[in-house]
Amino acid sequence: MRNLITDVPGLKVGHAHDARCATGVTVVLCDEPTIAAVDVRGGGPGTREADLLDPAATVEKVDAIVLSGGSAFGLDAAAGVMIALAAAGRGFAVGPARVPIVPGAVLFDLNNGGDKAWGLDPPYRHLGRDALHGAGLDFPLGTIGAGYGATTATVKGGLGSASAVLPSGHVVGAVVAVNAVGSPLFGAGPHFRAAPYERHAEFGGLGLPATFLDEASAPALKGHVPLSATTLAVVACDAVLTTAQAHRLAVMAQDGLALSLFPIHTPLDGDCVFTLATGRRPLSAPIPDLARIGACAAAVLARAVARAVFSARALPFPGAQPSWRDLFGAPSAPLQP
């Protein structure tokens, strides 16, 4: 096990970023067309092909899912992936034509210090294609891909991933770009909100704080710029699911954001969680099995959020938001490069 979403058989992940623009793209590539769904909770979402993932829609399977920075400009990353997949012969067959199915979502990283004066040629189509071509089973975490320019209310955000195996043998994994308007930490830190779900000191092994502050009346919020946040995730399992079951999994997995970030799903976020079911292992008891997979997915996503922040490094710009390691020193477990 890599403790990555690619522990789920049938998936690969690729990243690309532009350091000058301080933005990037992450692609989750399916080895073959895969059952998918999405649950959107944030008040300011930016999505592509989200309606197609409704369980009542005709097309049930996707070829890839794209997470991108750039706000609405970043929606073009999925176009780059789509064109590259079409050139490789992938896509939904409509007579002799093939149309790759590539849903995506974007986060807002336009005010993070990078040079966004890209004129008539935003980088996202190229970044999407580069991320697709670099897709593999192993990938780094932190300031990479869609999490390159991500921030939170308190510390630098980033790209995280985690996985787990249930007693049934089903594998569950998540990848997340953490760009939340809220905070992944209790108070000023260093303790992570996801601490109860941590495995093997994967984000420092600090546990829970000795005391808990009442943050309900004055939660930490990132800046005052509307629509300046959004956390995006893909949660996957190797179960055989229908599109309706995949949607229920997405709904349950969203709780992983509530377990690791506060506040979440605000009017300032565009949070959404995609799900993929690669269909390698049937459910023996569909209702309880799906409930257990969904519960596991929420915990795995919470862990992925903390790993994203734990592994991030600050951007090289004056006044850039500090990373967790900048504020709290060397962790007890090894960081991703």
Side-chain angles (χ1 to χ4, degrees), residues 166-173 235-241 245 248-250 252-253 275-277 281-300:
L166 286 103
S168 64
H170 290 100
V171 182
V172 178
V235 172
C237 68
D238 61 352
V240 178
L241 300 182
Q245 289 171 323
R248 178 51 51 188
L249 176 59
M252 292 189 70
T275 50
L276 293 168
R281 185 181 292 269
L283 302 178
S284 59
I287 294 176
D289 280 358
L290 182 58
R292 293 185 181 99
I293 291 171
C296 180
V300 167

Coordinates of all heavy atoms in Angstrom, one line a residue, residues 166-173 235-241 245 248-250 252-253 275-277 281-300:
L166 N -10.7 -2.1 4.0 CA -11.7 -2.6 4.9 C -11.6 -4.1 5.2 O -11.0 -4.8 4.4 CB -13.1 -2.3 4.3 CG -13.5 -0.8 4.4 CD1 -13.4 -0.2 3.0 CD2 -14.9 -0.7 4.9
P167 N -12.2 -4.6 6.3 CA -12.2 -6.0 6.5 C -12.8 -6.8 5.4 O -12.4 -8.0 5.2 CB -13.0 -6.2 7.8 CG -12.8 -4.9 8.5 CD -12.8 -3.8 7.4
S168 N -13.7 -6.3 4.6 CA -14.2 -6.9 3.4 C -13.3 -7.1 2.3 O -13.5 -7.8 1.3 CB -15.5 -6.2 2.9 OG -15.1 -4.9 2.5
G169 N -12.1 -6.4 2.4 CA -11.1 -6.4 1.3 C -11.3 -5.2 0.4 O -10.4 -5.0 -0.5
H170 N -12.3 -4.5 0.5 CA -12.5 -3.3 -0.4 C -11.4 -2.2 -0.1 O -11.1 -2.0 1.1 CB -13.9 -2.7 -0.2 CG -15.0 -3.6 -0.8 ND1 -15.8 -4.4 0.0 CD2 -15.4 -3.7 -2.1 CE1 -16.6 -5.0 -0.8 NE2 -16.4 -4.7 -2.0
V171 N -10.9 -1.7 -1.1 CA -9.8 -0.6 -1.0 C -10.5 0.7 -1.3 O -11.3 0.9 -2.2 CB -8.7 -0.8 -2.0 CG1 -7.6 0.3 -1.8 CG2 -8.1 -2.2 -1.8
V172 N -10.2 1.7 -0.4 CA -10.8 3.0 -0.5 C -9.6 4.0 -0.5 O -8.7 3.9 0.3 CB -11.7 3.4 0.7 CG1 -12.2 4.8 0.6 CG2 -12.9 2.4 0.7
G173 N -9.7 5.0 -1.4 CA -8.6 6.0 -1.4 C -9.2 7.4 -1.8 O -10.3 7.5 -2.2
V235 N -12.7 10.7 -4.4 CA -12.7 9.5 -3.5 C -13.0 8.3 -4.4 O -14.0 8.3 -5.2 CB -13.7 9.6 -2.4 CG1 -13.8 8.4 -1.6 CG2 -13.3 10.8 -1.4
A236 N -12.3 7.2 -4.2 CA -12.4 6.1 -5.1 C -12.5 4.8 -4.2 O -11.9 4.7 -3.1 CB -11.3 6.0 -6.1
C237 N -13.1 3.8 -4.8 CA -13.1 2.4 -4.2 C -13.1 1.4 -5.3 O -13.4 1.7 -6.5 CB -14.3 2.2 -3.3 SG -15.9 2.2 -4.1
D238 N -12.8 0.2 -5.0 CA -12.7 -0.9 -6.0 C -14.0 -1.7 -6.0 O -14.0 -2.7 -6.6 CB -11.5 -1.8 -5.8 CG -11.5 -2.5 -4.4 OD1 -12.4 -2.2 -3.6 OD2 -10.7 -3.4 -4.2
A239 N -15.0 -1.2 -5.4 CA -16.3 -1.9 -5.3 C -17.1 -1.8 -6.7 O -16.9 -0.9 -7.4 CB -17.2 -1.4 -4.2
V240 N -17.9 -2.8 -6.9 CA -18.9 -2.7 -8.0 C -20.1 -1.9 -7.5 O -20.9 -2.4 -6.7 CB -19.3 -4.1 -8.4 CG1 -20.3 -4.1 -9.5 CG2 -18.1 -5.0 -8.9
L241 N -20.3 -0.7 -8.0 CA -21.3 0.2 -7.6 C -22.2 0.6 -8.8 O -21.6 0.8 -9.9 CB -20.8 1.4 -6.9 CG -20.0 1.2 -5.6 CD1 -19.6 2.6 -5.1 CD2 -20.7 0.4 -4.6
Q245 N -25.4 4.3 -6.2 CA -24.6 4.0 -5.0 C -23.3 4.9 -5.0 O -22.9 5.3 -3.9 CB -24.2 2.5 -5.1 CG -25.4 1.6 -4.8 CD -25.0 0.1 -5.1 OE1 -24.3 -0.2 -6.1 NE2 -25.5 -0.8 -4.3
R248 N -24.3 8.1 -3.4 CA -24.4 8.0 -2.0 C -23.0 8.0 -1.3 O -22.8 8.6 -0.3 CB -25.2 6.8 -1.6 CG -25.3 6.5 -0.1 CD -25.9 7.7 0.7 NE -27.1 8.3 0.1 CZ -27.6 9.4 0.4 NH1 -27.1 10.1 1.4 NH2 -28.7 9.8 -0.2
L249 N -22.1 7.4 -2.0 CA -20.7 7.4 -1.5 C -20.1 8.8 -1.5 O -19.4 9.2 -0.5 CB -19.8 6.4 -2.3 CG -18.3 6.4 -2.0 CD1 -18.1 5.9 -0.6 CD2 -17.6 5.5 -3.0
A250 N -20.4 9.6 -2.5 CA -19.9 10.9 -2.6 C -20.5 11.8 -1.4 O -19.8 12.6 -0.8 CB -20.2 11.6 -3.9
M252 N -21.6 10.6 1.5 CA -20.9 10.2 2.8 C -19.5 10.7 2.9 O -19.0 11.2 3.9 CB -21.0 8.7 2.9 CG -22.4 8.2 3.1 SD -22.3 6.4 3.6 CE -21.7 6.5 5.2
A253 N -18.8 10.7 1.8 CA -17.4 11.1 1.8 C -17.2 12.6 2.1 O -16.2 13.0 2.7 CB -16.7 10.8 0.4
T275 N -16.7 10.8 -6.9 CA -16.4 9.4 -6.5 C -16.2 8.6 -7.8 O -16.8 8.9 -8.8 CB -17.5 8.8 -5.7 OG1 -18.7 9.0 -6.3 CG2 -17.5 9.4 -4.3
L276 N -15.3 7.6 -7.7 CA -15.1 6.6 -8.7 C -15.2 5.2 -8.1 O -14.7 5.0 -7.0 CB -13.6 6.8 -9.3 CG -13.4 8.1 -10.1 CD1 -11.9 8.3 -10.3 CD2 -14.1 8.1 -11.4
A277 N -15.8 4.3 -8.9 CA -15.9 2.9 -8.4 C -15.4 2.1 -9.6 O -16.0 2.0 -10.6 CB -17.4 2.6 -8.1
R281 N -14.4 -5.5 -7.1 CA -14.8 -6.3 -6.0 C -16.3 -6.1 -5.7 O -16.7 -5.0 -5.3 CB -14.0 -6.1 -4.7 CG -14.3 -7.0 -3.6 CD -13.4 -6.6 -2.4 NE -12.0 -6.9 -2.6 CZ -11.4 -8.0 -2.3 NH1 -12.0 -9.0 -1.8 NH2 -10.1 -8.1 -2.5
P282 N -17.2 -7.1 -5.9 CA -18.6 -7.0 -5.6 C -18.9 -6.7 -4.1 O -18.1 -7.0 -3.3 CB -19.2 -8.3 -6.1 CG -18.1 -9.0 -6.9 CD -16.8 -8.5 -6.4
L283 N -20.1 -6.2 -3.9 CA -20.6 -6.0 -2.6 C -21.3 -7.3 -2.2 O -22.1 -7.8 -2.9 CB -21.6 -4.9 -2.5 CG -21.1 -3.5 -2.9 CD1 -22.2 -2.5 -2.8 CD2 -19.9 -3.0 -2.0
S284 N -21.0 -7.9 -1.0 CA -21.7 -9.1 -0.6 C -23.1 -8.8 0.0 O -24.0 -9.6 -0.1 CB -20.8 -9.9 0.4 OG -20.5 -9.1 1.5
A285 N -23.1 -7.6 0.7 CA -24.4 -7.2 1.3 C -24.5 -5.7 1.0 O -23.9 -4.8 1.7 CB -24.4 -7.4 2.8
P286 N -25.2 -5.3 -0.1 CA -25.1 -4.0 -0.7 C -25.3 -2.8 0.3 O -24.5 -1.9 0.3 CB -26.1 -4.0 -1.8 CG -26.2 -5.4 -2.2 CD -26.0 -6.2 -0.9
I287 N -26.3 -2.9 1.1 CA -26.6 -1.7 2.0 C -25.5 -1.6 3.1 O -24.9 -0.5 3.2 CB -28.0 -1.8 2.5 CG1 -29.0 -1.6 1.4 CG2 -28.2 -0.7 3.6 CD1 -30.4 -1.8 1.8
P288 N -25.3 -2.6 3.9 CA -24.3 -2.4 5.0 C -22.8 -2.2 4.4 O -22.0 -1.5 5.0 CB -24.4 -3.6 5.8 CG -25.1 -4.6 5.0 CD -26.0 -3.9 4.1
D289 N -22.5 -2.9 3.3 CA -21.2 -2.8 2.7 C -21.0 -1.3 2.2 O -19.9 -0.7 2.4 CB -21.0 -3.7 1.5 CG -20.7 -5.1 2.0 OD1 -20.5 -5.4 3.2 OD2 -20.6 -6.0 1.1
L290 N -22.0 -0.7 1.6 CA -21.9 0.6 1.1 C -21.8 1.6 2.3 O -21.0 2.6 2.2 CB -23.1 1.0 0.2 CG -23.1 2.4 -0.4 CD1 -21.8 2.6 -1.2 CD2 -24.3 2.7 -1.2
A291 N -22.5 1.3 3.4 CA -22.4 2.2 4.5 C -21.0 2.2 5.1 O -20.4 3.2 5.5 CB -23.4 1.7 5.6
R292 N -20.4 1.0 5.2 CA -19.0 0.9 5.7 C -18.0 1.5 4.8 O -17.1 2.2 5.2 CB -18.7 -0.6 5.9 CG -19.5 -1.3 7.0 CD -19.0 -2.7 7.3 NE -19.9 -3.3 8.3 CZ -20.9 -4.1 8.1 NH1 -21.2 -4.5 6.8 NH2 -21.6 -4.7 9.1
I293 N -18.2 1.3 3.5 CA -17.3 2.0 2.5 C -17.4 3.5 2.6 O -16.4 4.2 2.6 CB -17.6 1.5 1.1 CG1 -17.2 0.0 0.9 CG2 -16.8 2.4 0.0 CD1 -17.6 -0.6 -0.4
G294 N -18.6 4.0 2.7 CA -18.8 5.5 2.9 C -18.2 6.0 4.1 O -17.6 7.1 4.1
A295 N -18.3 5.3 5.2 CA -17.7 5.7 6.5 C -16.2 5.8 6.4 O -15.5 6.7 6.9 CB -18.2 4.8 7.7
C296 N -15.7 4.7 5.8 CA -14.2 4.7 5.6 C -13.8 5.8 4.7 O -12.7 6.4 4.9 CB -13.9 3.3 5.0 SG -12.1 3.1 4.7
A297 N -14.6 6.1 3.6 CA -14.2 7.2 2.7 C -14.1 8.5 3.4 O -13.2 9.3 3.1 CB -15.2 7.2 1.6
A298 N -15.0 8.8 4.3 CA -15.0 10.1 5.1 C -13.7 10.2 5.9 O -13.0 11.2 5.9 CB -16.2 10.2 6.0
A299 N -13.3 9.1 6.6 CA -12.1 9.1 7.4 C -10.9 9.2 6.5 O -9.9 9.9 6.8 CB -12.0 7.8 8.2
V300 N -10.8 8.5 5.4 CA -9.7 8.6 4.5 C -9.5 10.0 3.9 O -8.4 10.5 3.8 CB -9.9 7.5 3.3 CG1 -8.9 7.8 2.2 CG2 -9.7 6.1 3.9

